[in-house]
Amino acid sequence: MSTPLFAPSITPSPLGPDSLADSFATSYAGVVAFIAVAVEGNFAKAGDRLGIGRSAVSRSVQKLEDQLGTRLFVRTTRSTSLTAEGRQFYDQCHPGVARIVQALDDMRELREGPPSGHLRVCSTVGFGRKVVAPLLHGFCRANPGIAVDLLLDDGPTDFAADGVDVSFRNGRMEDSQVIAKKIIPMQMLLCASPDYAAAHGLPASVDDILDHRGVNFRLASGRIFEWEFKLGDRLQKVTPPAMLTFNDADLVLQAVLDGHGIAQMAAYQVCDHLRAGTLVACLPQHAPDDRGHYLCFLSRQHLPARMRVFIDYMTEHIRGSGLLPPPAPPRYFLTPDWLNQVSKSIEPKRGEDAGTRVSSLSSAPK
């Protein structure tokens, strides 16, 4: 059975005004001033405790008495004491005010003290597994008071329904309802294995892609991810013929590494393989440049300390993790004409496979 929002004692009565509305009209400042006078024993000391003048305390208490229609203090030139009604009001109010003060202190400590609490983070499956999850160990060591719950999901994030604090999103940000902080650009690279490149060549143009075997990725919506290429001021979308389609980015990558076809993949997935020579890339001049990896959250205002330190930590470490290829054309971007020429003129050495041969040749001048 669910707990009612308000206790029965403050539900509207058919015989009188709504007590909840009455409590809203009562000044909280007046209640606090009343508690201070009751604790300190006079109006002057209560003013010193609250950091206001004696007359301001007196006016607040007087207003409260007028709202209640009850005298709370007996005032003389020598002393201030509670009336019977004042004593009853104090006994009932003091625990509630103490809880409010404690709640305010707790919120202030959460914001200004050491970061603590529970943090629910969502990420796409590939980026979460490759990038976010490995960084969580260092984050938790640096912030032992924060517990992190990482959800991997390629679908859209519902911050409210899923209770998500921070979400990693890829691509183009079109949701104006969230704050999106761009961490790094999202480079999309057309890649193949050296074995595939040696056997089938590489596309010399975007139109040539349709002559190759693709490995496709199925989005959470069920649609096939369309490869995009920048041709001047416009984007051209390509959906190549594919013998293999996966709804997992890591399986797409593995199929390309195994030589089953070509695929357009994010740089964070392939950068290590490009440096190692287990993948080669082509058509970098047509790679789209309007995508990014983003940290998203609902509001910049009153961010809890646990969210601020997480956003700062992830931004710093992702930007410094080498997830992008160098800006200058690297050795692993092969030109198809040159590759086809050398593939015909040079035979592999004994004990050397095609992958080793293509990887060693890729350092030649373009």
Side-chain angles (χ1 to χ4, degrees), residues 141-157:
R141 283 195 300 269
N143 301 275
I146 301 177
V148 180
D149 181 2
L150 176 62
L151 309 175
L152 300 183
D153 190 345
D154 285 327
T157 302

Side-chain angles (χ1 to χ4, degrees), residues 35 101 115 140 170 181 195 214 235 262 312 354:
I35 296 290
V101 171
C140 290
N170 304 326
K181 178 180 181 179
D195 286 343
L235 284 177
I262 62 175
D312 291 344

